Every structure is written in C-alpha cells, then in structure tokens.
C-alpha cells in the first residue's frame, strides 16, 4: 500500500502569506495520480487539484500544485480568510486509494 | 449541478449490519465511478471502497474487505454500501463521491477510471457502540 505523509501537520500563517504543503508517498505514484482536497469544519471535503497539478473547476489560481514520483506539493499564494482549513492529499495511482493525514492551515 | 445525498446512517451495536445509500443527481451517473470515504470523529479521511461505472470493477480497503459490499443501481442513480459485522472502529461519517474521469488504454478498448473524488455528499453518520 502507498502511504502518504503530509507535512507539516499544522501551518500557522497570516492572511496574505504563502502556504506550501507537502505530500510524500512511500512509493512512486503511478501516472502522478495525486489529488488535493480542502475541508472546512463541519463540511465535506472539496476537490482542489487532480492529476498532481490540474485545478478543479472553479478553483482560484492562487492554488497551484506540482510534483512527480513520490514528492508532491500544494501552494496557496496569498492566503485568503476562507483558505484556513485542513488540506488532504490522495493518491489514485493504485488501489488502495490512500489519503494523507492532513495539514491544518491556521491563522497565526 | 451535481449533487450527492447520503442516507442510512444510524447507531448500531457491534456485530450488527447497516446499509448506506447515496442518491445522485445532476450528472451522468452511469459513466461515473463512485466511492465511499469515511472520517472518524476528529480524524483524517479514509478511503473505503470504489466501483466503476458499470459496477463490474470494485476495490476495497483492507480494513473493510470481506465485511462491506459496494454496489450501485444505475436505473435509480443510487450507490450503496452494505456493512456487515460492524466494529467500534467503523464509527465515522461516511461520504460518497463521484469520479467522472478516466482514460482508454493503448488498445482503445479498456477504460480506466481515475479515482479522485470530484463531487462529495455531506455524509451520513454511523456509530457502532
């Protein structure tokens, strides 16, 4: 099974700052099939990024992502108040389609 | 607008059974793979199971294999999760999600879904106690 390790566990930043979230896989992810999700308290997750770097429909361009093989990242350029949330990466290159443990982006 | 609505969550005793449903609307259900994902209280997301648009291909996590059965009825645009031999550790909010994308292989005959979760429902709560 592919284990995804996200770092850091918590990121404390101020609005307007840049956030960089990391996701490391225990083995190479087939076709770089990695997605990123945002989850706010009490809500279902929502898709941000798929295929490692493609923004989902309606996602602002301050969200960008990159990576290949085992190392992937999500960058939020200029944090907005609504961006403070928990972010998860997921690999769908091979079953089981595992999630990382999440990174919480909190207001400093 | 694509929408998913889960139902069927309840309080159940260890060893009991439960059937979750997920009603889909606003997208072409038959050409979307579907998945169940769960989240224990205060915990991370955990992928549970997925199946292809036709239902012919299914995948399970090791933690539920042999106890849970995913299925779909494309005539009523509904996804199901039959849960047997429930354990305390199955306590979670269960979300369904769709995966509408995929690709054909080099032969052009075999279609492979991309099991990322595009649209999510709000979830239904299962408590095993």
């Amino acid at each position: 099974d592919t284990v995804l390790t996200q770092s850091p566990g918590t990121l404390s930043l101020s609005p307007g700052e840049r956030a960089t979230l990391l996701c490391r896989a225990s083995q190479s992810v087939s076709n770089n099939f990695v997605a990123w999700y945002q989850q706010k308290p009490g809500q279902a997750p929502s898709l941000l990024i798929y295929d490692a770097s493609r923004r989902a429909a309606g996602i602002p361009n301050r969200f960008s992502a990159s990576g290949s093989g085992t190392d992937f990242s999500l960058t939020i350029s200029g944090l907005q108040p609504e961006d403070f949330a928990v972010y998860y990466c997921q690999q769908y290159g091979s079953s089981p389609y595992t999630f990382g443990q999440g990174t919480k982006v909190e207001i400093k | 607008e694509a929408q998913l609505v889960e139902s069927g969550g309840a309080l159940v005793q260890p060893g009991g059974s439960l059937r979750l449903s997920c009603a889909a609307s606003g997208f072409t259900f038959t050409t979307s793979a579907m998945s169940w994902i769960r989240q224990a209280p205060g915990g991370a997301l955990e992928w549970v199971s997925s199946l292809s648009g036709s239902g012919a291909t299914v995948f399970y996590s090791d933690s539920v294999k042999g106890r849970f059965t995913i299925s779909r009825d494309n005539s009523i645009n509904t996804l199901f999760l039959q849960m047997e031999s429930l354990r305390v550790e199955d306590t979670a909010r269960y979300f369904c999600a769709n995966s509408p994308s995929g690709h054909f292989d080099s032969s052009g005959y075999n279609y492979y879904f991309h099991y990322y979760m595009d649209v999510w429902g709000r979830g239904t709560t299962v408590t095993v106690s």
Side-chain angles (χ1 to χ4, degrees):
Chain A
D1 297 3
T2 302
V3 176
L4 299 182
T5 302
Q6 292 187 240
S7 61
T10 302
L11 203 47
S12 299
L13 294 168
S14 301
E17 289 193 296
R18 179 188 188 96
T20 301
L21 289 64
L22 303 176
C23 177
R24 173 163 286 179
S26 60
Q27 58 190 293
S28 185
V29 178
S30 176
N31 295 304
N32 297 322
F33 279 167
V34 169
W36 290 89
Y37 304 88
Q38 178 192 69
Q39 187 178 32
K40 298 178 182 179
Q43 297 185 17
S46 59
L47 176 67
L48 295 173
I49 301 287
Y50 64 97
D51 293 356
S53 61
R54 298 176 183 269
R55 273 190 298 274
I59 301 303
N61 60 13
R62 66 179 180 273
F63 291 92
S64 63
S66 64
S68 65
T70 60
D71 294 313
F72 299 87
S73 65
L74 172 72
T75 299
I76 312 170
S77 303
L79 281 163
Q80 299 298 303
E82 62 269 27
D83 299 336
F84 291 92
V86 179
Y87 293 83
Y88 295 94
C89 59
Q90 179 225 350
Q91 69 81 22
Y92 50 99
S94 61
S95 178
Y97 303 122
T98 45
F99 286 88
Q101 83 279 18
T103 290
K104 181 179 182 180
V105 179
E106 64 176 21
I107 299 176
K108 186 174 181 180
Chain B
E1 180 188 357
Q3 188 173 12
L4 297 168
V5 179
E6 302 92 337
S7 61
L11 171 63
V12 61
Q13 293 184 340
S17 302
L18 208 55
R19 189 195 201 201
L20 305 184
S21 300
C22 170
S25 61
F27 64 97
T28 306
F29 186 71
T30 54
T31 58
S32 281
M34 298 294 296
S35 299
W36 288 99
I37 306 94
R38 68 185 182 185
Q39 187 171 37
L45 300 173
E46 179 188 6
W47 172 78
V48 172
S49 182
S50 297
L51 84 169
S52 61
S54 66
T57 303
V58 298
F59 304 95
Y60 295 100
S61 68
D62 286 346
S63 61
V64 307
K65 196 176 297 181
R67 301 187 299 122
F68 290 11
T69 303
I70 191 172
S71 63
R72 63 193 297 160
D73 186 339
N74 286 348
S75 68
I76 57 171
N77 290 356
T78 303
L79 175 73
F80 301 101
L81 186 68
Q82 179 67 43
M83 303 186 293
E84 308 284 349
S85 304
L86 282 162
R87 305 168 180 169
V88 171
E89 55 264 35
D90 295 319
T91 295
R93 190 159 186 84
Y94 285 72
F95 299 97
C96 66
N98 76 339
S99 306
S101 300
H103 71 276
F104 284 97
D105 66 8
S106 56
S107 73
Y109 289 102
N110 300 308
Y111 189 77
Y112 294 92
F113 283 95
H114 299 170
Y115 288 94
Y116 64 86
M117 315 306 167
D118 188 10
V119 176
W120 296 64
R122 292 185 176 185
T124 187
T125 299
V126 173
T127 303
V128 185
S129 177

